[in-house]
Amino acid sequence: MESRGKSGNPRTQEQFHHAYQAARAFAGEPQGWLVLEGPSGSGKTHLAAAIVNERIAHGQPAFYISTPDLLDHLRSTYSPDAEVPYDEFFEQVRSAPLLVLDDLGAQSGTPWAREKLDQLLTSRFNNELPTVIVTITPVDRLDERLHTRLTDPRLSRVYMLEEELPSTEYGWGPEFELQKAMTFASFDRRVNLPPEQQENLEKALELTMEFAKSPEGWLVLMGETGCGKTHLAAAIVNYRYQAGQPALFVVVPEFLDHLRSTFSPESKVSYDQFFESVKTAPLLVLDDFGEQSATTWAREKLYQLINYRYNAQLPTVITTRYSLDEIIEEVDNSVSSRLVDRKVSVTFAIIAPDYRTERKPSQRRSAVRGKTGRYR
């Protein structure tokens, strides 16, 4: 890896160079805590992994794990069939001579998860054990207890690899207060669900997190109201915002209403300007597809939007109550053929019930009945 990274921005190159030098020095003599933060693709995980490889190459122990994987492993140790008991695994991580904890901030935000992370990091902090932390959430946005440990000047050094870019064009509007709080960390995994539904929900979370890290192609999330698809779609947008990357979240019926309003003489934005901003968004979430009116005008505008993004191969997330069969049978072929094109689109049906009512599977609409979720 180049010591100044891949960016052509001199300031970003300088930031990366400082982090690179710190990582090299840490690999030679691990002391204290090294905290790396920055947007996706800035090189922070590469530097952390390079530290581990350097230590192993010199015959020194090092333990590398992502935060979500760590918590998943801890949960699995409660199983009677677990190969390693909970106490043994937790102690292995807690007392590792060098621990690299990747993707801090990507974990679920349950009280149990917060408690385990706090126990782990408090123990390593008190014992001043060498630790590398790669965070996807800016340090100043972490909870106070964690922020205090990661920024303690006696033990920790924080390096920003690339500044989070402020965006005046993309961001949550005042009508999206709920979506602003919908992150991967706050997503309820609903561990009380039947095993099939629990596994399906975990796959949906895994799929959307991977998409958020590297948006490519289209992702179509299907399922009944309240199953979690809108939360996961909004979490993708929040993840991109935290990484300083542009994204746009629109609710399809409201988007069409807003588009109509631009024809008014009092509108502050022109039709062409508004439609173009949505059509060309680097990452677009179309929430509640299928809930819009079925007028000829609405169908035409949606086709123009979807066809443009399809041809331009722009990353797009679509949530809908339609099942895959219903998309094929009930949506205009000019649109459905693009939504289900396996060369471009990944479709996934969430079978979890409405979290507000926890209705039984037999009560669900046909959009999700009998589905177990599918990958392309």
Side-chain angles (χ1 to χ4, degrees):
M1 175 179 276
E2 295 289 336
S3 67
R4 291 190 176 273
K6 299 178 180 179
S7 173
N9 185 306
R11 177 177 175 81
T12 299
Q13 288 182 342
E14 183 178 0
Q15 289 175 322
F16 185 89
H17 181 68
H18 289 318
Y20 175 87
Q21 295 289 9
R24 289 201 61 170
F26 192 94
E29 188 177 356
Q31 291 183 348
W33 285 20
L34 178 66
V35 181
L36 303 173
E37 67 167 301
S40 176
S42 61
K44 57 189 185 297
T45 292
H46 190 123
L47 289 179
I51 291 172
V52 173
N53 289 330
E54 182 75 10
R55 297 302 294 170
I56 292 175
H58 287 83
Q60 301 298 320
F63 192 108
Y64 176 100
I65 193 167
S66 73
T67 306
D69 285 346
L70 167 67
L71 294 169
D72 285 344
H73 280 305
L74 284 174
R75 290 186 189 96
S76 70
T77 60
Y78 292 121
S79 169
D81 303 326
E83 296 180 1
V84 180
Y86 170 86
D87 290 340
E88 182 179 338
F89 178 71
F90 191 68
E91 183 59 28
Q92 181 184 3
V93 180
R94 183 167 56 184
S95 61
L98 169 61
L99 173 65
V100 174
L101 192 60
D102 198 5
D103 280 344
L104 180 69
Q107 72 280 356
S108 63
T110 64
W112 180 87
R114 290 194 296 270
E115 177 189 347
K116 295 308 159 189
L117 274 178
D118 184 68
Q119 289 176 359
L120 170 65
L121 294 176
T122 296
S123 175
R124 294 189 67 84
F125 180 85
N126 291 337
N127 290 286
E128 300 186 2
L129 292 174
T131 305
V132 178
I133 295 175
V134 178
T135 175
I136 68 169
T137 302
V139 172
D140 59 5
R141 295 185 188 174
L142 295 171
D143 67 69
E144 184 177 356
R145 187 177 176 86
L146 189 54
H147 177 271
T148 299
R149 282 164 172 65
L150 266 59
T151 58
D152 190 313
R154 298 169 301 167
L155 184 68
S156 183
R157 289 164 293 159
V158 180
Y159 290 88
M160 164 68 78
L161 273 71
E162 185 176 334
E163 285 187 343
E164 184 173 348
L165 301 176
S167 172
T168 56
E169 185 177 359
Y170 298 103
W172 292 113
E175 71 274 25
F176 290 120
E177 283 303 309
L178 283 176
Q179 286 82 354
K180 285 171 65 175
M182 292 178 179
T183 65
F184 292 123
S186 66
F187 184 70
D188 184 1
R189 298 186 183 205
R190 298 155 72 185
V191 295
N192 61 327
L193 292 175
E196 182 189 22
Q197 295 178 3
Q198 179 64 42
E199 181 182 0
N200 172 264
L201 207 57
E202 292 289 344
K203 285 182 178 178
L205 179 60
E206 177 186 355
L207 180 64
T208 50
M209 287 179 65
E210 287 301 316
F211 188 93
K213 292 177 182 178
S214 182
E216 291 183 5
W218 288 19
L219 177 60
V220 181
L221 299 175
M222 303 171 290
E224 70 176 75
T225 299
C227 70
K229 60 186 186 296
T230 292
H231 188 129
L232 291 173
I236 292 172
V237 173
N238 281 314
Y239 184 100
R240 300 305 292 174
Y241 285 167
Q242 288 181 347
Q245 301 298 319
L248 184 63
F249 184 103
V250 300
V251 180
V252 173
E254 293 174 7
F255 158 68
L256 292 170
D257 286 344
H258 193 173
L259 197 58
R260 290 186 189 94
S261 72
T262 60
F263 293 113
S264 168
E266 287 126 24
S267 176
K268 296 180 180 179
V269 61
S270 70
Y271 166 91
D272 289 337
Q273 182 182 1
F274 176 63
F275 194 46
E276 189 70 17
S277 68
V278 177
K279 191 170 68 173
T280 61
L283 170 62
L284 176 66
V285 172
L286 292 172
D287 192 38
D288 278 349
F289 174 82
E291 307 301 318
Q292 69 278 359
S293 62
T295 64
T296 302
W297 181 86
R299 290 198 300 270
E300 176 189 344
K301 295 309 157 192
L302 274 179
Y303 168 74
Q304 290 175 355
L305 171 63
I306 288 173
N307 185 57
Y308 179 90
R309 297 190 65 83
Y310 177 87
N311 291 331
Q313 298 185 22
L314 292 173
T316 306
V317 179
I318 296 169
T319 75
T320 179
R321 288 199 297 164
Y322 282 129
S323 68
L324 187 60
D325 290 340
E326 288 173 329
I327 290 175
I328 295 171
E329 295 170 5
E330 300 182 18
V331 177
D332 290 346
N333 184 63
S334 58
V335 171
S336 65
S337 62
R338 288 158 173 77
L339 265 58
V340 301
D341 184 349
R342 296 191 175 194
K343 298 190 299 292
V344 175
S345 183
V346 175
T347 59
F348 189 93
I350 300 176
I351 63 171
D354 186 335
Y355 72 92
R356 302 177 187 89
T357 61
E358 295 294 338
R359 288 178 295 171
K360 296 179 180 179
S362 60
Q363 295 174 290
R364 295 194 210 117
R365 68 190 295 277
S366 59
V368 294
R369 185 164 51 244
K371 303 285 183 191
T372 58
R374 65 182 69 204
Y375 290 97
R376 170 167 55 89

